Amino acid sequence: MGKIIDGKAIASGIKELVKQRADQITAKIGRPIKLVVVLVGDDPASQVYVRNKERACEDVGIASEVHRLPPSIKEEALVDLIERLNLDNSVDGILVQSPLPKGFDEAKVLNLIKYEKDVDGFHPYNLGKLLRGEEPLFVACTPAGVMEMLLSTGVEIKGKEAVVVGRSNIVGKPVALLLLQQHATVTICHSRTTNLAEVVKRGDIVVAAVGKAGIISGDMIKPGAVVIDVGTNKVNGKLVGDVDFAAASQKASYISPVPGGVGPMTIAMLMKNTVRAAELVAAKQPQ
Ligand code: NDP
């Protein structure tokens, strides 16, 4: 039976450090560190995520402000709001909760966020830096959380075969780039991958980010592999990942659970990024 990568515990350690840093930076900039979350529409999962983010802000001493907007809001009004937040010196981080309702050009909206306030790490500047192997101001929170979880195992990434299942801009692609930065040999799988099982079986490290319960079965896992399950799926009202945990945990050396794995890590990394945004402000202030 593989060891569990306890995302909740790692996240709580990170939040503790972030809180200390937040206190120092708050004193330095002479005002609260502030994260603004923009939530458009009434997607129930998004509402839960946003509430969790508000709670985490409270835990670490960051002020949060949520703009809850109806799905009928015009894209121009959303653009105006982001432009105002970009100029507002009391705002350190801006996050537009994804997905935006149908009809919105999500890429256009995300591109508008000033990259120094892009705590989600989705702006082309930050993603582009990652692609070039340079240090972005902000790494997207879920991929950053996945890397922290891998590091927590102490397993060396360099030279390993890493298989990432999923190629979204918010999870799969940045995770693959971060693994590449750590010198893994990276394969990215997606919906047109033929023979997924054979590819996943090669993975010393497997990151599943699909959104399909059980798509990664136990027999796809190479003995001793490290498995990170990003997927979140509701099955009979229960939250489960993409990996068949019961079977895969018999083969893996380390495995992350759902819930209690990547979810709490994502939020901890958002807190870390928000404090980093305030650090950038502090660094520009005269000493
Ligand atoms: P997307 O829907 O944007 O991407 C899913 C990816 O899975 C796509 O690249 C898709 O391929 C691929 N895929 C779909 N079907 C298959 C298949 N049969 N075989 C192989 N690959 C397949 O999802 P996200 O990246 O946004 O999220 C992935 C999962 O992670 C979701 O369950 C989401 O809820 C969860 N998540 C969890 C977070 C957390 O904090 N815990 C944060 C973010 C996401 P293609 O590109 O070809 O369509």
Side-chain angles (χ1 to χ4, degrees):
M1 171 91 182
K3 292 200 181 94
I4 306 288
I5 305 175
D6 186 345
K8 213 169 158 187
I10 305 169
S12 119
I14 291 173
K15 276 166 59 186
E16 212 34 68
L17 294 175
V18 167
K19 186 175 183 347
Q20 288 167 21
R21 194 75 193 118
D23 290 345
Q24 290 165 358
I25 298 295
T26 302
K28 214 161 167 185
I29 59 179
R31 59 161 177 81
I33 299 173
K34 197 202 268 183
L35 172 67
V36 174
V37 178
V38 180
L39 173 59
V40 185
D42 35 30
D43 177 61
S46 292
Q47 287 178 0
V48 174
Y49 296 147
V50 168
R51 265 200 304 279
N52 289 342
K53 288 167 187 174
E54 282 181 286
R55 241 178 254 141
C57 281
E58 245 171 67
D59 290 347
V60 302
I62 292 175
S64 66
E65 186 179 296
V66 181
H67 291 251
R68 291 186 169 80
L69 307 171
S72 56
I73 190 173
K74 293 261 182 312
E75 192 167 286
E76 301 85 78
L78 185 57
V79 167
D80 280 352
L81 171 64
I82 292 171
E83 282 172 348
R84 261 190 290 125
L85 295 171
N86 279 342
L87 293 172
D88 185 339
N89 288 333
S90 73
V91 175
D92 298 291
I94 304 169
L95 180 158
V96 175
Q97 185 63 43
S98 175
L100 285 173
K102 278 204 180 70
F104 284 88
D105 182 345
E106 189 158 310
K108 176 183 159 195
V109 171
L110 295 180
N111 291 359
L112 277 174
I113 297 173
K114 195 174 166 188
Y115 66 78
E116 290 102 327
K117 298 190 180 190
D118 171 41
V119 287
D120 245 349
F122 296 155
H123 190 281
Y125 173 87
N126 285 312
L127 281 172
K129 282 267 186 186
L130 199 61
L131 182 68
R132 284 168 49 152
E134 296 170 15
E135 204 182 322
L137 289 179
F138 306 103
V139 175
C141 304
T142 302
V146 167
M147 295 310 286
E148 287 286 336
M149 293 169 92
L150 286 172
L151 289 177
S152 78
T153 65
V155 170
E156 192 171 30
I157 298 173
K158 186 168 65 182
K160 295 284 163 58
E161 285 253 13
V163 177
V164 179
V165 190
R167 59 171 165 182
S168 71
N169 289 327
I170 65 168
V171 192
K173 279 189 224 163
V175 164
L177 290 169
L178 289 165
L179 286 163
L180 197 58
Q181 229 170 46
Q182 296 299 317
H183 311 294
T185 301
V186 183
T187 306
I188 307 177
C189 301
H190 45 79
S191 66
R192 319 300 153 80
T193 297
T194 50
N195 216 344
L196 180 69
E198 288 311 311
V199 183
V200 175
K201 269 183 201 164
R202 295 206 308 260
D204 303 304
I205 295 167
V206 175
V207 179
V210 178
K212 289 193 173 149
I215 188 169
I216 307 298
S217 60
D219 56 12
M220 291 185 190
I221 302 300
K222 179 176 174 178
V226 179
V227 179
I228 308 283
D229 192 351
V230 182
T232 53
N233 311 286
K234 274 270 167 71
V235 175
N236 301 328
K238 228 181 110 197
L239 187 66
V240 298
D242 288 345
V243 177
D244 175 352
F245 182 85
S249 59
Q250 299 302 317
K251 308 268 287 288
S253 58
Y254 292 90
I255 185 165
S256 74
V258 177
V262 175
M265 289 300 292
T266 296
I267 293 192
M269 299 321 279
L270 174 65
M271 299 300 106
K272 196 172 172 186
N273 278 352
T274 306
V275 171
R276 169 137 171 81
E279 277 172 348
L280 297 174
V281 172
K284 282 189 190 155
Q285 280 181 350
Q287 295 303 306

